[in-house]
Amino acid sequence: MLADTIVAISTPMGKGAIGLIRLSGLSAFKICQEMSNLSSFKSHKVYHAYIIDIDEVLLTYFKAPHTYTGEDVIEISCHNNMVVMQAILSLSQKLGARLAKPGEFTERAFLNGKLDLTQAEAVLDVIHAESTYSEQIAQKQLKGGLSKQIEYFRIKLLNLLKDLEVVLDHEDIIDFDRSAFFCKLKDITLELKRKIKTGERVNRLCHGLDVALVGRPNVGKSSLLNTILDKEKSIVSKVSGTTRDAVEAVIEHQGIRINLIDTAGLKHATEFIDDQHAEIERQGIIKTNEYIAQADYVFLIVDLERYDPPDLTNIKDRDRLILVGNKDDLRLISPSGVSLTKYQIAAKVEISVSAKTGKNIEKLLDICIDDFLRNSEVSESKFVVNNRHQLIFNNILLILDNIVKEDDLVVIAMDIRQAVNLLAEILGIDVTEAVLDLIFSDFCIGK
Ligand SMILES: Nc1nc2c(ncn2[C@@H]2O[C@H](COP(=O)(O)OP(=O)(O)OP(=O)(O)O)[C@@H](O)[C@H]2O)c(=O)[nH]1
Ligand SMILES: [Mg+2]
């Protein structure tokens, strides 16, 4: 247990029914005795009490070590009024507590071995989750989703190291079966790579899929965005070139966040009229091409009312391309109506929709999510690989991939040991204070 006792308001600022103040540390219990009318408490019980001269409250005492931080914890549920809460906070400080830094309760949980670093990060992910999916993944990570994977690979590498050390200790009598050893190492590396890739895709899904709506002017990109959102977010008009600046919007579909970007219509080079608007339009199209390059999926929208083929020069990656024929409601009644096949564009999937009637709009959104989840490892994953993990994993893979070039068994053993240590670093073993400060500073005060 750390020597000092910390205190913080754990609920957001503002008025509300209940506010929570939390104390953790050696003196939490004593401070609570001194500021309330109660003198004895049993652990994990809630008491009706008075904080003297301040408020009528509910007090919960959690005796170490079975607490969130691993230390004695007191939670005070009072009226959620800033005057009341500040008064309790000041009184706690007068009695010996100090104000907690952001994330300090969770940092203490980590330092006291209640959570490893991937689980502490998961606490932050739960707080910041912006979709049902990302919240669920964070909960799984909190239960040890990534920790178990790391442990699995650590044991595999340690077993390999053990084999190697036996050879090193008895080099004169045991022959080293180099090919069998490298075969095992290769299998572990491949399995690790697959898991990392899955975790990275899960991370992508947690942040949301980026979907760019692109196509010729007037095909109905903005109309489609508005229909998906069920509100008039983007300006729609008969005038070609209505959208110039990208319009971004976020939706949740099947519990997953989708970041939609409505873009400026792609004009052919010959269509630019050299007036003062041309430069603005060109800028808009440069931006559109940037969105195309970055998006997870590109909805290439074409017009089914009349044939108007787009220029595909900047859409090279067909694996991310979903061909969307819009204005399906007009296709058969318009004299110039066309079918989607006439466009002859090779895309991952093609679908006819109508922004006007809403036909197939749900299906369109299902397509990209189902495609992303098609890999069952992603849909069943219980862990996420964030940027910090990714950097460490890259170093591990660099070491494992290079071992094969090494002849000296002592160096090979050292390299495997280093990979094992790096795996431990993901869990927070032997990480520097600077790394911890960086992670916990993202937390809110009181967590
Ligand atoms: N009948 C019908 N009309 C549509 C549909 N989608 C869009 N429109 C019409 O097509 C015209 C152009 O729609 P917009 O959504 O502004 O097209 P856009 O692709 O965003 O155009 P720019 O921003 O100029 O590139 C408008 O008059 C819409 O009402 C549809 O599904 N059916
Ligand atoms: Mg538009």
Side-chain angles (χ1 to χ4, degrees), residues 163 167 170-178 409:
D163 294 349
V167 176
H170 305 92
E171 244 175 318
D172 43 342
I173 45 172
I174 302 178
D175 274 342
F176 178 53
D177 185 345
R178 199 181 161 90
L409 296 193

Side-chain angles (χ1 to χ4, degrees), residues 217-218 220-223 234-237 239 241-244 262-265:
N218 242 4
K221 301 176 293 298
S222 303
S223 306
S234 207
I235 300 172
V236 165
S237 88
V239 181
T242 303
T243 307
R244 288 181 177 174
D262 174 25
T263 61

Side-chain angles (χ1 to χ4, degrees), residues 143 260 268 363 416:
K143 289 196 182 99
L260 296 158
H268 298 308
K363 211 165 157 189
I416 294 179

Side-chain angles (χ1 to χ4, degrees), residues 175-322:
D175 274 342
F176 178 53
D177 185 345
R178 199 181 161 90
S179 83
F181 176 87
F182 281 114
C183 207
K184 277 189 204 165
L185 181 66
K186 194 175 159 208
D187 285 349
I188 298 172
T189 312
L190 280 177
E191 196 181 355
L192 180 61
K193 279 183 182 167
R194 221 183 54 236
K195 293 283 179 193
I196 297 170
K197 198 155 190 182
T198 301
E200 286 169 358
R201 277 174 81 82
V202 170
N203 194 29
R204 190 103 199 88
L205 265 189
C206 288
H207 288 103
L209 294 179
D210 291 338
V211 174
L213 279 67
V214 304
R216 294 274 295 144
N218 242 4
V219 293
K221 301 176 293 298
S222 303
S223 306
L224 207 58
L225 178 82
N226 292 348
T227 305
I228 293 172
L229 297 178
D230 198 19
K231 73 174 188 205
E232 302 303 307
K233 167 123 184 165
S234 207
I235 300 172
V236 165
S237 88
K238 282 194 212 108
V239 181
S240 166
T242 303
T243 307
R244 288 181 177 174
D245 253 347
V247 178
E248 300 190 22
V250 176
I251 55 155
E252 186 173 315
H253 189 72
Q254 290 187 26
I256 289 167
R257 183 183 153 119
I258 302 182
N259 310 311
L260 296 158
I261 305 134
D262 174 25
T263 61
L266 295 166
K267 281 194 168 182
H268 298 308
T270 50
E271 288 171 326
F272 287 105
I273 302 160
D274 258 335
D275 60 7
Q276 72 269 36
H277 300 297
E279 187 45 35
I280 305 170
E281 283 191 309
R282 277 203 183 91
Q283 294 286 342
I285 290 171
I286 289 172
K287 278 235 159 77
T288 301
N289 286 327
E290 285 171 9
Y291 284 117
I292 290 173
Q294 287 159 14
D296 292 297
Y297 290 98
V298 174
F299 286 176
L300 176 63
I301 300 154
V302 293
D303 200 327
L304 297 181
E305 187 194 8
R306 61 186 189 91
Y307 184 62
D308 182 15
D311 177 358
L312 299 177
T313 325
N314 289 306
I315 312 180
K316 296 189 179 72
D317 183 358
R318 300 299 165 88
D319 206 43
R320 298 183 289 123
L321 189 67
I322 294 171

Side-chain angles (χ1 to χ4, degrees), residues 407-418:
D407 280 328
D408 187 339
L409 296 193
V410 176
V411 177
I412 293 177
M414 274 166 48
D415 284 349
I416 294 179
R417 171 73 58 198
Q418 203 191 341

Side-chain angles (χ1 to χ4, degrees), residues 150 157 185 189 192-193 196 200 385-405 412 414-426 431 435:
I150 301 282
L157 287 175
L185 181 66
T189 312
L192 180 61
K193 279 183 182 167
I196 297 170
E200 286 169 358
V385 168
N386 70 19
N387 293 346
R388 183 183 73 86
H389 313 146
Q390 205 174 9
L391 285 174
I392 302 176
F393 275 133
N394 286 346
N395 286 335
I396 295 172
L397 292 178
L398 203 67
I399 293 169
L400 297 183
D401 281 338
N402 280 325
I403 286 182
V404 71
K405 296 177 204 146
I412 293 177
M414 274 166 48
D415 284 349
I416 294 179
R417 171 73 58 198
Q418 203 191 341
V420 170
N421 291 344
L422 283 170
L423 281 173
E425 196 181 314
I426 295 180
V431 290
V435 171

